[in-house]
């Protein structure tokens, strides 16, 4: 149980803080945000009050005097074309994390109106979430409905649960349930009813993160109490979400070296909320190595705008707050895209699409005004094929293009600029680093946009190099950046990742593209699409555990590959 040793200092510190003058004494916010620190109370009895932690950022949750009211959001993750749909129940990523050693119990009081099923999730490992999938790892669900109590357990080796036990009950409106890890079993009880399964090691990593769910459309239920107690020599402690990393960066980190270049070039990576809060190694790499954060998937429409009148900024806010706590600039990805749109959006009538699109842009940009420095306003506007009348790619066909033709791009940029006049607005595209029809089509498009006075500031070169034989020639890339500069546009390297079959080729490609950016004064930042193969977007997610890709600078054990040394050398060479 590797995490357990950390539990006791946390607890100890909490006791000291309370003795020294209450929760605010050890709260870096000086008590403005006292709830999280308060959650370390009552250690002597080995009991912790989990509701005293932060539940304000739980999607669908409302904190009130009677507990946390849970509203069913019916969140789903859909495939790119809007079909399919995997349930995506909210996880309290910013909430209290229970650290456990040995046997323990968690007791919950649920107020459940008729017709509702109250579900409480205890995750031994936080799910990994990407655009089209969510991999549930070790965890369990406790559910209470009108007539049933159920315990469903996942062991992290498959998408399907290893156990699903139900028992008949007649639940009163307020019901107390107790979950225990005890003597090698997982046991759930409510009154005299009890279900039990052998423990496949759900909490062996030493922590519990909480999640909830509710049936959408049914009346809200309330989590009125949630406590954890140590049992039979075991132990429990609460650890609050860590948002801030080290205040200073090692001078030989990518970030430290980049700050020493004449350019002070921002070095970024696409980042996800789940590993930032649950994986200490990932968080440390994020804060020590990078000065810019791209919101990997959290601000794509299907996550941020799950219903026509529903926005969910919880995970985006976590990323933006994390960036602020660690002095990182935020690059928002992405407002308008042909993929990752929720099903309802894909079904909007043609005549309504402009209103929906501009409303989405205005709301999301408005929410982050002053906190997100730059946006991918339109992502991948070009068709993947050379299917235009001139043998170049035409516009990619999707719901916005279908309704408005090319003018959807103008309208999206105009809406973003109207709401935030300071943010830098980018158009982001893949495959335009080399000469050829894709670059020609992209260049022609931005010339037309500039000609129409569209408020575009720059172009992102994604720089994905995914197959042996793919290659970015730094000199050609520089010439494209320079050609855009002639039009008055900035450029950025927005999403680089490089196939890793040959670590030497991988290192050369990463370094060559960084060198091109450093050499062109209008290249504003260099960002990778992820940090480590442990969570890369190219991972094979149907296998349990994830079968990692090999495209990122740090391997799945968080060891730097030769690419990191090559990036460092390139930055050193550019020092003032
Ligand atoms: O990393 C993302 C992956 O999980 C999704 O399956 C995919 C489709 O929506 O999007 C990936 O991110 C892409 C980004 O949004 C735009 N450029 C290409 C990225 C990597 O494929």
């Amino acid at each position: 149980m590797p995490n357990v040793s950390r539990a006791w200092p946390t607890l100890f510190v909490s006791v000291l803080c309370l003795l020294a003058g209450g929760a605010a004494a050890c709260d870096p916010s000086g008590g403005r945000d006292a709830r999280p620190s308060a959650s370390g109370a009552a250690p002597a009895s080995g009991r912790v009050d989990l509701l005293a932690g932060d539940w304000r950022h739980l999607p669908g949750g409302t904190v009130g005097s009677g507990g946390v009211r849970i509203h069913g959001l019916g969140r789903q993750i859909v495939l790119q074309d809007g079909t399919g749909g995997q349930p995506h129940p909210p996880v309290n990523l910013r909430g209290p994390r229970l650290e456990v050693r040995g046997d323990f119990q968690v007791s919950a009081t649920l107020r459940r109106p008729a017709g509702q099923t109250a579900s409480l999730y205890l995750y031994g490992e936080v799910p990994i979430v990407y655009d089209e999938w969510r991999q549930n790892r070790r965890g369990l669900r406790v559910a209470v409905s009108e007539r049933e109590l159920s315990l469903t357990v996942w062991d992290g080796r498959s998408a399907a649960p290893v156990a699903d036990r139900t028992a008949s009950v007649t639940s009163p409106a307020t019901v107390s349930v107790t979950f225990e890890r005890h003597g090698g079993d997982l046991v759930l009880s409510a009154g005299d009813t009890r279900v039990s399964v052998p423990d496949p090691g759900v909490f062996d990593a030493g922590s519990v993160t909480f999640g909830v769910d509710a049936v959408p459309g049914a009346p809200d239920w309330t989590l009125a109490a949630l406590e954890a107690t140590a049992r039979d020599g075991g132990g429990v402690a609460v650890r609050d979400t860590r948002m801030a990393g080290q205040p200073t960066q090692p001078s030989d980190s990518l970030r430290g070296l980049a700050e020493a270049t004449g350019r002070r070039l921002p070095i970024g990576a696409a980042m996800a909320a789940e590993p930032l809060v649950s994986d200490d190694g990932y968080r440390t790499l994020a804060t020590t190595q990078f000065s810019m954060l791209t919101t990997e998937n959290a601000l794509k429409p299907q996550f941020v705008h799950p219903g026509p009148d529903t926005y969910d900024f919880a995970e985006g806010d976590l990323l933006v707050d994390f960036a602020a706590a660690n002095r990182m600039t935020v690059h928002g990805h992405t407002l308008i895209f042909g993929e990752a749109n929720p099903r309802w959006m894909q079904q909007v009538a043609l005549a309504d699409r402009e209103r929906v699109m501009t409303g989405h842009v205005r709301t999301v940009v408005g929410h982050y005004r002053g906190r997100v420095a730059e946006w991918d306003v339109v992502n991948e506007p070009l068709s993947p094929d050379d299917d235009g009348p001139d043998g170049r790619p035409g516009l990619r066909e999707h719901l916005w293009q279908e309704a408005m033709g090319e003018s959807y791009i103008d309208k999206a940029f105009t809406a973003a600029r109207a709401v935030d006049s300071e943010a830098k607005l980018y158009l982001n595209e893949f495959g335009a680093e080399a000469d050829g029809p894709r670059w020609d089509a992209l260049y022609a498009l931005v010339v037309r946009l500039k000609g129409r006075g569209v408020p575009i500031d720059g172009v992102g070169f994604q720089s994905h190099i995914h197959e042996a034989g793919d290659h970015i020639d730094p000199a050609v890339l520089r010439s494209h950046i320079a050609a855009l500069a002639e039009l008055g546009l900035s450029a950025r390297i927005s999403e680089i990742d490089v196939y890793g079959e040959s670590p030497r080729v991988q290192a050369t490609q990463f370094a060559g593209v960084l060198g091109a950016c450093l050499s062109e004064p209008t290249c504003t930042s260099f960002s990778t699409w992820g940090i480590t193969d442990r969570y890369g977007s190219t991972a094979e997610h149907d296998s349990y555990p994830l079968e990692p890709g090999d495209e990122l600078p740090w391997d799945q054990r968080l060891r730097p590959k030769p690419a990191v040394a090559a990036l460092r050398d390139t930055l050193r060479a550019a020092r003032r």
Side-chain angles (χ1 to χ4, degrees), residues 164-510:
D164 194 3
R165 301 271 190 285
T166 56
S168 299
V169 284
T170 309
S171 355
T174 299
V175 56
S176 291
V177 294
T178 300
F179 161 78
E180 297 165 77
R181 173 168 80 176
H182 186 51
D185 287 328
L186 304 174
V187 184
L188 176 65
S189 51
D192 296 336
T193 310
R194 191 181 136 97
V195 289
S196 147
V197 300
D199 179 10
V202 172
F203 303 107
D204 281 1
S207 73
V208 187
T209 301
F210 294 88
V212 295
D213 209 3
V215 177
D220 300 348
W221 65 276
T222 300
L223 181 59
L226 187 66
E227 288 185 347
T229 315
R231 293 206 44 187
D232 301 342
V236 292
V238 172
R239 170 172 155 177
D240 302 319
T241 303
R242 296 203 175 140
M243 294 289 278
Q246 292 168 237
T248 55
Q249 281 71 40
S251 57
D252 68 342
S253 69
L254 298 184
R255 172 179 187 168
L257 290 167
E259 274 163 18
T261 61
R263 302 276 311 278
R264 301 178 72 92
L265 187 77
I267 298 286
M271 296 182 201
E274 292 82 7
L276 274 181
V277 300
S278 66
D279 184 332
D280 294 348
Y282 176 94
R283 183 175 51 252
T284 300
L285 281 179
T287 58
T288 54
Q289 301 292 334
F290 298 100
S291 54
M292 177 175 252
L293 180 158
T294 298
T295 55
E296 190 165 9
N297 290 317
L299 292 185
K300 288 182 178 174
Q302 75 159 320
F303 291 107
V304 81
H305 198 171
D309 303 313
T310 311
Y311 285 88
D312 177 1
F313 292 110
E315 278 143 38
D317 287 356
L318 190 156
L319 291 174
V320 170
D321 291 350
F322 180 86
N326 295 287
R327 297 178 296 109
M328 294 165 156
T329 305
V330 181
H331 180 88
H333 176 85
T334 173
L335 295 168
I336 297 302
F337 186 13
E339 295 174 11
N341 294 309
R343 189 171 305 137
W344 73 265
M345 204 178 251
Q346 309 212 21
Q347 291 168 348
V348 169
L350 271 183
D352 293 330
R353 290 204 191 149
E354 180 176 341
R355 178 183 54 76
V356 170
M357 185 191 78
T358 52
H360 174 82
V361 171
R362 278 199 301 270
T363 305
V364 178
V365 175
H367 181 83
Y368 290 111
R369 183 172 36 224
R371 293 192 290 159
V372 168
E374 46 187 63
W375 284 101
D376 286 332
V377 178
V378 172
N379 190 49
E380 299 174 18
L382 297 181
S383 161
D385 306 311
D386 297 342
D387 52 4
D390 48 8
R392 297 171 181 165
L395 284 187
R396 182 165 171 163
E397 291 176 4
H398 55 55
L399 73 166
W400 312 118
Q401 181 273 342
E402 185 190 16
M404 291 166 265
E406 187 168 304
S407 77
Y408 87 87
I409 303 176
D410 308 34
K411 288 168 180 154
F413 276 91
T414 304
R417 176 56 44 91
V419 176
D420 189 344
S421 57
E422 299 291 316
K424 298 293 178 206
L425 306 181
Y426 281 83
L427 181 148
N428 193 39
E429 187 54 273
F430 70 84
E433 299 81 18
D435 281 332
R438 240 184 132 66
W439 161 248
D440 293 343
L442 179 66
Y443 184 78
L445 172 61
V446 294
V447 166
R448 293 196 297 276
L449 296 178
K450 288 295 282 179
R452 297 199 290 267
V454 174
I456 174 174
D457 295 302
V459 169
F461 289 94
Q462 292 186 4
S463 311
H464 294 291
I465 307 176
H466 279 177
E467 282 168 33
D470 282 0
H471 176 75
I472 294 180
D473 179 342
V476 175
L477 176 56
R478 279 189 68 175
S479 73
H480 293 182
I481 296 172
L484 292 171
E486 293 282 309
L487 299 175
L489 292 174
S490 301
R492 62 189 297 270
I493 307 305
S494 54
E495 304 186 4
I496 187 169
D497 54 3
V498 185
Y499 75 95
E501 257 164 63
S502 158
R504 191 184 52 78
V505 172
Q506 185 180 49
T508 308
Q509 286 280 275
F510 269 114

Side-chain angles (χ1 to χ4, degrees), residues 60-118:
T62 312
V63 178
S65 53
V68 187
R69 215 178 66 225
I70 311 293
H71 179 70
L73 295 174
R75 301 200 317 180
Q76 298 249 314
I77 296 182
V78 296
L79 297 174
Q80 286 177 15
D81 62 2
T83 61
Q86 199 184 348
H88 182 37
V91 181
N92 192 10
L93 291 174
R94 259 162 117 154
R97 188 138 310 136
L98 180 67
E99 301 218 329
V100 294
R101 178 174 60 90
D103 286 350
F104 67 96
Q105 82 179 41
V106 171
S107 310
T109 305
L110 319 172
R111 282 206 202 96
R112 190 194 52 78
Q116 182 56 277
T117 298

Side-chain angles (χ1 to χ4, degrees), residues 10-11 13-15 17-18 22-23 35-50 52-53 228 236-238 240:
T10 312
L11 194 59
V13 168
S14 299
V15 183
C17 294
L18 288 167
R35 280 176 157 273
S37 298
S39 61
S45 65
R47 178 188 298 262
V48 289
D49 177 3
L50 292 154
V236 292
V238 172
D240 302 319

